[in-house]
Amino acid sequence: MASITKAFRGSLLRGVRERAGLLQREVAALLTERGVQTDQSVVSQWENNRQAPLVPTLKALADVLGVAVDHLLDDEETKP
């Protein structure tokens, strides 16, 4: 199975975030409320594929956005 770093796609995060009507800073604030210390610049780095969130953060991110973790991963990279 591919690593989260290879499978995570910032463009998918951006699309889900925009459909949810949230700004990057709002996502960061919601994550911080759930104990994941982050800020808008980190969310931007994720969306621009400069870095990928850690697995626990990815789970919290999916929860904040109301989607399954799979919605933030590239199907091609996650196939066995």
Side-chain angles (χ1 to χ4, degrees):
M1 177 180 254
S3 72
I4 293 298
T5 302
K6 286 182 71 178
F8 178 78
R9 290 291 175 263
S11 59
L12 297 174
L13 169 58
R14 180 180 292 119
V16 170
R17 176 185 59 78
E18 289 175 347
R19 282 191 297 281
L22 295 170
L23 300 172
Q24 290 175 343
R25 66 179 164 80
E26 293 171 321
V27 170
L30 290 168
L31 287 170
T32 298
E33 288 175 8
R34 286 168 171 75
V36 178
Q37 287 300 115
T38 192
D39 60 31
Q40 179 274 326
S41 67
V42 174
V43 177
S44 175
Q45 289 178 11
W46 294 336
E47 288 187 2
N48 289 295
N49 292 315
R50 289 190 203 112
Q51 69 179 46
L54 299 174
V55 172
T57 302
L58 184 63
K59 290 177 181 178
L61 189 56
D63 184 50
V64 161
L65 296 170
V67 298
V69 171
D70 292 354
H71 285 4
L72 304 175
L73 303 176
D74 181 12
D75 289 335
E76 291 302 313
E77 290 291 338
T78 57
K79 288 181 182 172

Coordinates of all heavy atoms in Angstrom, one line a residue:
M1 N 0.8 -1.2 0.0 CA 0.0 0.0 0.0 C 0.9 1.2 0.0 O 1.9 1.3 0.6 CB -0.9 0.0 1.2 CG -1.8 1.2 1.3 SD -2.8 1.2 2.8 CE -4.4 0.9 2.0
A2 N 0.5 2.3 -0.7 CA 1.2 3.5 -0.8 C 1.2 4.2 0.6 O 0.3 4.1 1.4 CB 0.6 4.4 -1.8
S3 N 2.3 5.0 0.8 CA 2.3 5.8 2.0 C 1.3 7.0 1.9 O 0.9 7.4 0.8 CB 3.7 6.4 2.2 OG 4.0 7.4 1.3
I4 N 0.9 7.5 3.0 CA 0.0 8.6 3.1 C 0.6 9.8 2.3 O -0.1 10.5 1.5 CB -0.3 9.1 4.5 CG1 -1.1 8.0 5.2 CG2 -1.1 10.4 4.6 CD1 -2.5 7.7 4.6
T5 N 1.9 10.0 2.4 CA 2.5 11.1 1.7 C 2.3 11.0 0.2 O 2.1 12.0 -0.5 CB 4.0 11.1 2.0 OG1 4.2 11.3 3.4 CG2 4.7 12.3 1.3
K6 N 2.4 9.8 -0.3 CA 2.3 9.6 -1.8 C 0.8 9.7 -2.2 O 0.4 10.1 -3.3 CB 2.9 8.3 -2.2 CG 4.4 8.3 -2.3 CD 4.9 7.0 -2.8 CE 4.6 6.9 -4.3 NZ 5.1 5.7 -4.9
A7 N -0.1 9.2 -1.3 CA -1.5 9.1 -1.7 C -2.3 10.4 -1.4 O -3.3 10.6 -2.1 CB -2.1 7.9 -0.9
F8 N -1.8 11.2 -0.5 CA -2.6 12.4 -0.2 C -2.5 13.4 -1.3 O -1.4 13.6 -1.9 CB -2.0 13.1 1.1 CG -2.6 14.4 1.4 CD1 -3.9 14.4 2.1 CD2 -2.0 15.6 1.1 CE1 -4.5 15.6 2.4 CE2 -2.6 16.8 1.4 CZ -3.9 16.8 2.0
R9 N -3.6 14.0 -1.6 CA -3.7 15.0 -2.7 C -4.3 16.3 -2.2 O -5.4 16.4 -1.8 CB -4.5 14.5 -3.9 CG -3.9 13.4 -4.6 CD -2.7 13.8 -5.4 NE -2.0 12.7 -6.1 CZ -1.0 12.1 -5.6 NH1 -0.5 12.5 -4.5 NH2 -0.4 11.1 -6.3
G10 N -3.4 17.3 -2.2 CA -3.9 18.6 -1.8 C -5.0 19.2 -2.6 O -5.9 19.9 -2.0
S11 N -5.1 18.9 -3.8 CA -6.2 19.4 -4.7 C -7.5 18.8 -4.2 O -8.5 19.4 -4.3 CB -5.9 19.0 -6.2 OG -5.8 17.6 -6.3
L12 N -7.5 17.5 -3.7 CA -8.7 16.9 -3.2 C -9.1 17.7 -1.9 O -10.3 17.9 -1.7 CB -8.5 15.4 -3.0 CG -8.2 14.6 -4.2 CD1 -7.9 13.2 -3.8 CD2 -9.4 14.6 -5.2
L13 N -8.2 18.0 -1.1 CA -8.5 18.7 0.2 C -9.1 20.1 -0.2 O -10.1 20.5 0.4 CB -7.2 18.9 1.0 CG -7.3 19.8 2.2 CD1 -8.4 19.4 3.1 CD2 -5.9 20.0 2.9
R14 N -8.4 20.8 -1.1 CA -8.9 22.1 -1.5 C -10.4 22.0 -2.0 O -11.2 22.8 -1.6 CB -8.1 22.7 -2.6 CG -8.6 24.1 -3.0 CD -7.7 24.7 -4.1 NE -6.4 25.1 -3.5 CZ -5.2 24.6 -3.9 NH1 -5.2 23.7 -4.9 NH2 -4.1 24.9 -3.3
G15 N -10.7 21.0 -2.8 CA -12.0 20.9 -3.4 C -13.0 20.6 -2.3 O -14.1 21.2 -2.3
V16 N -12.7 19.7 -1.4 CA -13.6 19.4 -0.3 C -13.8 20.6 0.6 O -14.9 20.9 1.0 CB -13.1 18.2 0.5 CG1 -13.9 17.9 1.8 CG2 -13.1 16.9 -0.3
R17 N -12.7 21.3 0.9 CA -12.8 22.5 1.8 C -13.7 23.5 1.1 O -14.6 24.1 1.8 CB -11.4 23.0 2.0 CG -11.4 24.3 2.8 CD -10.1 25.0 3.0 NE -9.4 25.3 1.8 CZ -9.6 26.4 1.0 NH1 -10.6 27.2 1.3 NH2 -8.9 26.6 0.0
E18 N -13.5 23.8 -0.1 CA -14.3 24.8 -0.8 C -15.7 24.4 -0.9 O -16.6 25.3 -0.7 CB -13.7 25.1 -2.2 CG -12.4 25.8 -2.2 CD -11.7 26.0 -3.5 OE1 -12.1 25.3 -4.5 OE2 -10.7 26.8 -3.6
R19 N -16.0 23.1 -1.2 CA -17.4 22.7 -1.2 C -18.1 22.9 0.2 O -19.3 23.1 0.3 CB -17.5 21.3 -1.7 CG -17.4 21.1 -3.2 CD -17.8 19.8 -3.7 NE -16.9 18.7 -3.2 CZ -15.7 18.4 -3.7 NH1 -15.2 19.1 -4.7 NH2 -14.9 17.4 -3.2
A20 N -17.3 22.7 1.2 CA -17.8 22.9 2.6 C -18.0 24.4 2.9 O -18.5 24.7 4.0 CB -16.9 22.2 3.6
G21 N -17.5 25.3 2.1 CA -17.6 26.7 2.3 C -16.7 27.2 3.4 O -17.0 28.2 4.1
L22 N -15.5 26.6 3.6 CA -14.6 26.9 4.6 C -13.4 27.6 4.1 O -12.9 27.2 3.0 CB -14.2 25.7 5.5 CG -15.3 25.1 6.3 CD1 -14.9 23.7 6.8 CD2 -15.8 26.0 7.4
L23 N -12.8 28.5 4.8 CA -11.5 29.1 4.5 C -10.4 28.2 5.1 O -10.7 27.5 6.1 CB -11.4 30.5 5.0 CG -12.4 31.5 4.4 CD1 -12.3 32.8 5.2 CD2 -12.2 31.7 3.0
Q24 N -9.2 28.4 4.6 CA -8.1 27.6 5.2 C -8.0 27.9 6.7 O -7.8 27.0 7.5 CB -6.8 27.9 4.5 CG -6.7 27.4 3.1 CD -5.4 27.8 2.4 OE1 -4.7 28.8 2.8 NE2 -5.1 27.1 1.3
R25 N -8.1 29.2 7.1 CA -8.0 29.6 8.5 C -9.1 29.0 9.3 O -8.9 28.6 10.5 CB -7.8 31.1 8.7 CG -9.1 31.8 8.3 CD -8.9 33.4 8.6 NE -9.8 34.1 7.9 CZ -11.1 34.3 8.3 NH1 -11.4 33.8 9.5 NH2 -11.9 35.1 7.7
E26 N -10.2 28.8 8.8 CA -11.3 28.2 9.5 C -11.1 26.7 9.7 O -11.4 26.1 10.8 CB -12.7 28.4 8.7 CG -13.1 29.8 8.7 CD -14.3 30.1 7.8 OE1 -14.3 29.5 6.7 OE2 -15.1 30.9 8.2
V27 N -10.5 26.0 8.7 CA -10.2 24.6 8.9 C -9.1 24.5 10.0 O -9.2 23.6 10.8 CB -9.7 24.0 7.5 CG1 -9.1 22.6 7.7 CG2 -10.8 23.9 6.5
A28 N -8.1 25.3 9.9 CA -7.1 25.3 10.9 C -7.7 25.5 12.3 O -7.3 24.8 13.3 CB -6.0 26.4 10.6
A29 N -8.6 26.4 12.5 CA -9.2 26.7 13.8 C -10.0 25.5 14.2 O -10.0 25.1 15.4 CB -10.1 27.9 13.7
L30 N -10.8 24.9 13.3 CA -11.5 23.7 13.7 C -10.6 22.5 14.1 O -11.0 21.8 15.1 CB -12.4 23.3 12.5 CG -13.6 24.2 12.2 CD1 -14.3 23.9 10.9 CD2 -14.6 24.1 13.4
L31 N -9.5 22.4 13.5 CA -8.6 21.3 13.8 C -8.0 21.6 15.2 O -7.8 20.7 16.0 CB -7.4 21.2 12.8 CG -7.8 20.6 11.5 CD1 -6.7 20.7 10.5 CD2 -8.2 19.1 11.7
T32 N -7.6 22.9 15.4 CA -7.1 23.3 16.7 C -8.1 23.0 17.9 O -7.7 22.5 18.9 CB -6.6 24.8 16.7 OG1 -5.6 24.9 15.7 CG2 -6.1 25.2 18.0
E33 N -9.3 23.2 17.6 CA -10.4 22.9 18.6 C -10.4 21.4 18.9 O -10.8 21.0 20.0 CB -11.8 23.3 18.1 CG -12.0 24.8 18.1 CD -13.3 25.2 17.4 OE1 -14.2 24.3 17.1 OE2 -13.6 26.4 17.2
R34 N -10.0 20.6 18.0 CA -9.9 19.2 18.2 C -8.6 18.7 18.7 O -8.3 17.5 18.7 CB -10.3 18.4 16.9 CG -11.8 18.6 16.6 CD -12.1 18.1 15.2 NE -13.5 18.0 14.9 CZ -14.3 19.0 14.7 NH1 -13.9 20.3 14.8 NH2 -15.6 18.8 14.5
G35 N -7.7 19.6 19.1 CA -6.4 19.2 19.6 C -5.3 19.1 18.6 O -4.2 18.7 19.0
V36 N -5.5 19.5 17.4 CA -4.5 19.4 16.4 C -4.0 20.8 16.1 O -4.6 21.6 15.5 CB -5.0 18.8 15.0 CG1 -3.9 18.8 14.0 CG2 -5.6 17.4 15.2
Q37 N -2.8 21.1 16.7 CA -2.3 22.5 16.6 C -1.8 22.7 15.2 O -0.9 22.1 14.7 CB -1.1 22.7 17.6 CG -1.6 22.8 19.0 CD -2.5 24.0 19.3 OE1 -3.6 23.8 19.6 NE2 -2.0 25.2 19.1
T38 N -2.5 23.7 14.5 CA -2.1 24.0 13.1 C -2.5 25.4 12.9 O -3.2 26.1 13.7 CB -2.7 23.0 12.1 OG1 -2.1 23.2 10.9 CG2 -4.2 23.1 12.0
D39 N -2.2 25.9 11.7 CA -2.6 27.3 11.3 C -2.9 27.3 9.8 O -2.6 26.3 9.1 CB -1.7 28.4 11.8 CG -0.3 28.2 11.2 OD1 -0.1 27.7 10.1 OD2 0.7 28.6 11.8
Q40 N -3.3 28.4 9.3 CA -3.6 28.6 7.9 C -2.5 28.2 7.0 O -2.7 27.6 5.9 CB -4.1 30.0 7.6 CG -4.5 30.3 6.2 CD -3.3 30.7 5.3 OE1 -2.4 31.4 5.8 NE2 -3.3 30.3 4.1
S41 N -1.2 28.6 7.4 CA -0.1 28.3 6.5 C 0.1 26.8 6.3 O 0.6 26.3 5.3 CB 1.2 29.0 7.0 OG 1.6 28.4 8.3
V42 N -0.1 26.0 7.3 CA 0.0 24.6 7.2 C -1.0 24.0 6.3 O -0.7 23.1 5.5 CB 0.0 23.9 8.6 CG1 0.0 22.4 8.5 CG2 1.1 24.4 9.5
V43 N -2.3 24.4 6.5 CA -3.4 24.0 5.6 C -3.0 24.3 4.1 O -3.2 23.5 3.2 CB -4.7 24.6 5.9 CG1 -5.8 24.2 5.0 CG2 -5.1 24.2 7.4
S44 N -2.4 25.5 3.9 CA -2.0 25.9 2.6 C -0.9 24.9 2.0 O -0.9 24.5 0.9 CB -1.4 27.3 2.6 OG -0.9 27.7 1.3
Q45 N 0.0 24.6 2.9 CA 1.1 23.6 2.5 C 0.5 22.3 2.1 O 1.0 21.7 1.1 CB 2.1 23.5 3.6 CG 3.0 24.7 3.8 CD 4.0 24.6 4.9 OE1 4.2 23.5 5.5 NE2 4.6 25.7 5.3
W46 N -0.5 21.8 2.8 CA -1.1 20.6 2.5 C -1.8 20.7 1.1 O -1.7 19.8 0.3 CB -2.2 20.2 3.5 CG -1.7 19.9 4.9 CD1 -0.5 19.4 5.2 CD2 -2.4 20.0 6.1 NE1 -0.4 19.3 6.6 CE2 -1.6 19.6 7.1 CE3 -3.7 20.3 6.4 CZ2 -2.0 19.5 8.5 CZ3 -4.1 20.3 7.7 CH2 -3.3 19.9 8.7
E47 N -2.5 21.8 0.9 CA -3.3 22.0 -0.4 C -2.4 22.1 -1.5 O -2.7 21.8 -2.7 CB -4.2 23.2 -0.3 CG -5.4 22.9 0.6 CD -6.4 24.0 0.6 OE1 -6.2 25.0 -0.1 OE2 -7.4 23.9 1.3
N48 N -1.2 22.6 -1.3 CA -0.2 22.8 -2.4 C 0.8 21.7 -2.5 O 1.8 21.8 -3.2 CB 0.5 24.1 -2.3 CG -0.5 25.3 -2.5 OD1 -0.9 25.4 -3.7 ND2 -0.8 26.0 -1.5
N49 N 0.5 20.5 -1.8 CA 1.4 19.3 -1.8 C 2.8 19.6 -1.4 O 3.7 18.9 -1.9 CB 1.3 18.7 -3.2 CG 0.0 18.1 -3.5 OD1 -0.6 17.4 -2.6 ND2 -0.5 18.3 -4.7
R50 N 3.0 20.6 -0.5 CA 4.4 20.8 0.0 C 4.7 19.9 1.2 O 5.8 19.6 1.5 CB 4.5 22.3 0.4 CG 4.6 23.2 -0.8 CD 5.0 24.6 -0.4 NE 4.5 25.5 -1.4 CZ 3.6 26.4 -1.2 NH1 3.0 26.5 0.0 NH2 3.2 27.1 -2.2
Q51 N 3.6 19.4 1.8 CA 3.7 18.4 2.9 C 2.3 17.7 3.0 O 1.3 18.2 2.5 CB 4.2 19.0 4.2 CG 3.2 19.9 4.9 CD 3.7 20.4 6.2 OE1 4.9 20.9 6.3 NE2 2.9 20.4 7.2
A52 N 2.3 16.6 3.6 CA 1.1 15.8 3.9 C 0.9 15.8 5.4 O 1.8 15.7 6.2 CB 1.2 14.4 3.3
P53 N -0.4 15.8 5.8 CA -0.7 15.6 7.2 C -0.4 14.2 7.7 O -0.4 13.3 6.9 CB -2.2 15.9 7.3 CG -2.7 15.6 5.9 CD -1.6 15.9 5.0
L54 N -0.1 14.2 9.0 CA 0.1 12.9 9.6 C -1.2 12.1 9.7 O -2.3 12.8 9.6 CB 0.7 13.0 11.0 CG 2.1 13.7 11.1 CD1 2.5 14.0 12.5 CD2 3.1 12.9 10.4
V55 N -1.2 10.8 9.8 CA -2.4 10.0 9.8 C -3.4 10.5 10.8 O -4.6 10.7 10.5 CB -2.1 8.5 10.0 CG1 -3.4 7.7 10.2 CG2 -1.3 8.0 8.8
P56 N -3.1 10.8 12.1 CA -4.1 11.3 13.0 C -4.7 12.6 12.6 O -5.9 12.9 12.8 CB -3.3 11.4 14.4 CG -2.1 10.5 14.2 CD -1.8 10.5 12.8
T57 N -3.8 13.5 12.0 CA -4.3 14.7 11.5 C -5.2 14.6 10.3 O -6.2 15.3 10.2 CB -3.1 15.7 11.2 OG1 -2.3 15.8 12.3 CG2 -3.6 17.0 10.7
L58 N -4.9 13.6 9.5 CA -5.7 13.3 8.3 C -7.1 12.9 8.7 O -8.1 13.3 8.2 CB -5.0 12.3 7.4 CG -5.7 11.9 6.1 CD1 -5.7 13.2 5.2 CD2 -5.0 10.8 5.5
K59 N -7.1 12.1 9.8 CA -8.4 11.6 10.3 C -9.2 12.8 10.8 O -10.4 12.9 10.6 CB -8.2 10.5 11.3 CG -7.7 9.2 10.8 CD -7.5 8.2 11.9 CE -6.9 6.9 11.3 NZ -6.6 5.9 12.4
A60 N -8.6 13.7 11.6 CA -9.3 14.8 12.2 C -9.7 15.8 11.0 O -10.8 16.3 11.1 CB -8.3 15.6 13.1
L61 N -8.9 15.9 10.0 CA -9.2 16.8 8.9 C -10.5 16.2 8.2 O -11.4 17.0 7.8 CB -8.0 16.8 7.9 CG -8.0 17.7 6.8 CD1 -8.2 19.2 7.2 CD2 -6.7 17.6 6.0
A62 N -10.5 15.0 7.9 CA -11.7 14.4 7.3 C -12.9 14.6 8.1 O -14.0 14.9 7.6 CB -11.4 12.9 7.0
D63 N -12.8 14.4 9.4 CA -13.9 14.6 10.4 C -14.4 16.1 10.3 O -15.6 16.3 10.2 CB -13.5 14.3 11.8 CG -14.6 14.4 12.8 OD1 -15.7 13.8 12.5 OD2 -14.5 15.0 13.8
V64 N -13.5 17.0 10.3 CA -13.8 18.5 10.3 C -14.6 18.8 9.0 O -15.5 19.6 9.0 CB -12.5 19.3 10.4 CG1 -12.8 20.7 9.9 CG2 -12.0 19.3 11.8
L65 N -14.2 18.1 7.9 CA -14.8 18.4 6.6 C -16.0 17.5 6.3 O -16.6 17.7 5.3 CB -13.7 18.2 5.5 CG -12.6 19.2 5.6 CD1 -11.4 18.9 4.6 CD2 -13.0 20.7 5.3
G66 N -16.2 16.6 7.2 CA -17.4 15.7 7.0 C -17.3 14.7 5.9 O -18.3 14.4 5.2
V67 N -16.1 14.2 5.6 CA -15.9 13.3 4.6 C -15.1 12.1 5.1 O -14.5 12.2 6.2 CB -15.1 13.8 3.4 CG1 -15.9 15.0 2.7 CG2 -13.7 14.3 3.8
A68 N -15.0 11.0 4.4 CA -14.2 9.9 4.7 C -12.7 10.2 4.4 O -12.5 11.0 3.4 CB -14.6 8.6 4.0
V69 N -11.8 9.6 5.1 CA -10.4 9.8 4.7 C -10.1 9.6 3.3 O -9.3 10.3 2.6 CB -9.5 9.0 5.7 CG1 -8.0 9.0 5.2 CG2 -9.6 9.4 7.1
D70 N -10.8 8.6 2.7 CA -10.6 8.2 1.3 C -10.8 9.4 0.4 O -10.2 9.4 -0.7 CB -11.5 7.1 0.9 CG -11.1 5.8 1.6 OD1 -10.1 5.7 2.3 OD2 -11.9 4.8 1.4
H71 N -11.6 10.3 0.7 CA -11.9 11.5 -0.1 C -10.7 12.4 -0.3 O -10.7 13.3 -1.1 CB -13.1 12.3 0.4 CG -14.4 11.6 0.2 ND1 -14.6 10.4 -0.4 CD2 -15.7 12.1 0.4 CE1 -15.9 10.1 -0.5 NE2 -16.6 11.1 0.0
L72 N -9.7 12.2 0.6 CA -8.5 13.1 0.6 C -7.3 12.4 0.0 O -6.3 12.9 -0.1 CB -8.2 13.6 2.0 CG -9.4 14.3 2.7 CD1 -9.0 14.7 4.1 CD2 -9.8 15.6 1.9
L73 N -7.6 11.1 -0.5 CA -6.5 10.3 -1.0 C -6.7 10.0 -2.5 O -7.9 9.8 -2.9 CB -6.3 9.0 -0.2 CG -6.1 9.2 1.3 CD1 -6.1 7.8 2.0 CD2 -4.8 9.9 1.6
D74 N -5.7 9.9 -3.2 CA -5.7 9.5 -4.6 C -6.0 8.1 -4.8 O -5.2 7.2 -4.3 CB -4.4 9.9 -5.3 CG -4.4 9.6 -6.8 OD1 -5.4 9.4 -7.4 OD2 -3.3 9.7 -7.4
D75 N -7.1 7.7 -5.4 CA -7.4 6.3 -5.6 C -6.3 5.5 -6.3 O -6.1 4.3 -5.9 CB -8.7 6.1 -6.5 CG -9.9 6.6 -5.8 OD1 -10.0 6.6 -4.5 OD2 -10.9 7.0 -6.5
E76 N -5.6 6.0 -7.2 CA -4.6 5.3 -7.9 C -3.4 4.9 -7.0 O -2.8 3.9 -7.1 CB -4.0 6.1 -9.1 CG -5.0 6.3 -10.2 CD -5.5 4.9 -10.8 OE1 -4.6 4.0 -11.0 OE2 -6.7 4.7 -10.9
E77 N -3.1 5.8 -6.0 CA -2.0 5.6 -5.1 C -2.4 4.6 -4.0 O -1.5 4.0 -3.4 CB -1.5 6.9 -4.5 CG -0.8 7.8 -5.5 CD 0.5 7.2 -5.9 OE1 1.1 6.4 -5.2 OE2 1.0 7.6 -7.0
T78 N -3.7 4.5 -3.7 CA -4.1 3.6 -2.6 C -4.5 2.2 -3.0 O -4.8 1.4 -2.1 CB -5.3 4.3 -1.8 OG1 -6.4 4.5 -2.7 CG2 -4.9 5.6 -1.2
K79 N -4.5 1.9 -4.3 CA -4.8 0.6 -4.7 C -3.6 -0.4 -4.4 O -2.5 0.0 -4.5 CB -5.0 0.5 -6.2 CG -6.3 1.2 -6.6 CD -6.5 1.1 -8.1 CE -7.8 1.8 -8.5 NZ -7.9 2.0 -10.0
P80 N -3.9 -1.6 -3.9 CA -2.9 -2.5 -3.5 C -2.1 -3.0 -4.7 O -2.5 -2.9 -5.8 CB -3.6 -3.7 -2.9 CG -5.1 -3.5 -3.0 CD -5.3 -2.1 -3.6

